[in-house]
Amino acid sequence: MISAMLRAPIDLRSDTVTRPTPAMRRAMAEAVVGDDVYGEDPTINRLQERAAEIFGREAALYFPSGSMANLTAIKTWTRPGTEVICEAQGHIYLYEMGALSAIAGCVPNTVPAPDGILNWDLIEPLIRPHVYYRAQTALIELENTHNMHGGTVYPPSVSDDICERAHAVGVPVHLDGARIFNAATALGRGVADITGKFDSVMFCLSKGLGAPVGSMLVGSRDFIERARVTRKLLGGGMRQAGVLAAAGLVALEQTPKRLHIDHENARHLAEGLARIDGIGLDPKKVVTNILIFELRPVNGSPARTAADVVAELAKRDVLCGATGKHSIRMVTHFDVGRDAIDQALAAIAEVMTQPAHAAQA
Ligand SMILES: *Cc1c(COP(=O)(O)O)cnc(C)c1O
């Protein structure tokens, strides 16, 4: 058993790889369930009540995935032929199958932002004038923490300002808060406090919080009632899913208070990486559990490709993912402790002493 655990790979590909804890499995086994399409699953109802309470909202709704919860929010706030403003590397734009267009019928209107953090000056020029033959801006979407910018965090004053100005021109704002508890931890603030001005908020139970399945959408009672209809339309009406929600409840109550450990591990990893020749990143920018680093030329040798380094690390039981030709993402989570981080660093240092693969020279 112990040797099997020692041989398990150090999996830094994503915080989605976390497995349910013994407490979650116990709660799943013991969950009281009912038919949720009839609103009769007490465990799902409890999870929804707790999520609404924690976010200081009227209501919440349980989803099988974050993508479905984001799509539901988009489809609920918009109609076909309208525009959704988001950051150019946004998850809804790049990693959700183009569902905002394919299913909600919306046109994405994107703008790149430094560190993925939008502000009103970047958003305002994208808002369409009220001319009858122009596609209208129906929704603004922000992502906190920003996944593909390395887990960056919105200063609450910036996201509050965007929401206030958007509301002044009649546009709702949805938050993709897949990792909002990581943002709250980094800021030392509560999730209700930093998301209070958004019209709807999605967050994942299945990322750093460690649940096997599930995401939540929170908002007003009226919005959530409309979202429930959209969820059913998308095939997301579930029956005795309280067995899953039970793990989600444990995740929601227990895990947020330990996320700072993942952040400390990510910073430790970043500081170690920054000392390795051929790797470029600024450890001070690593404030949550995601880091993305660049592979750079060293002493006249070309930069290693991410595909090559990822493959060499996999041979040493360290798993991570390429995000570009010369960039790699690593994500810390509760299945990777400090010892594993140090082992990963040793493996990376070894791999980076190899010459660039002949094929790429
Ligand atoms: C993971 C993630 C989602 C939702 O993903 P699912 O895999 O569909 O649960 C949404 N937004 C961001 C930023 C994410 O990282």
Side-chain angles (χ1 to χ4, degrees), residues 14-16 64-68 70 90-92 95-96 141 143-148 176-179 202 204 206-207 214-215 290 329:
S14 178
D15 48 8
T16 56
S65 73
S67 299
M68 189 190 279
N70 275 336
H91 197 277
I92 60 161
Y95 302 104
E96 298 183 12
E141 185 263 6
E143 185 174 316
N144 194 16
T145 67
H146 198 302
N147 188 338
M148 292 315 288
D176 177 347
R179 297 184 179 81
M202 186 284 283
C204 294
S206 59
K207 303 270 168 87
S215 292
I290 303 178
R329 187 184 78 151

Side-chain angles (χ1 to χ4, degrees), residues 271-286:
E271 285 166 354
L273 287 169
R275 285 194 287 269
I276 298 173
D277 280 346
I279 288 182
L281 93 161
D282 180 357
K284 286 194 296 299
K285 285 201 164 176
V286 178

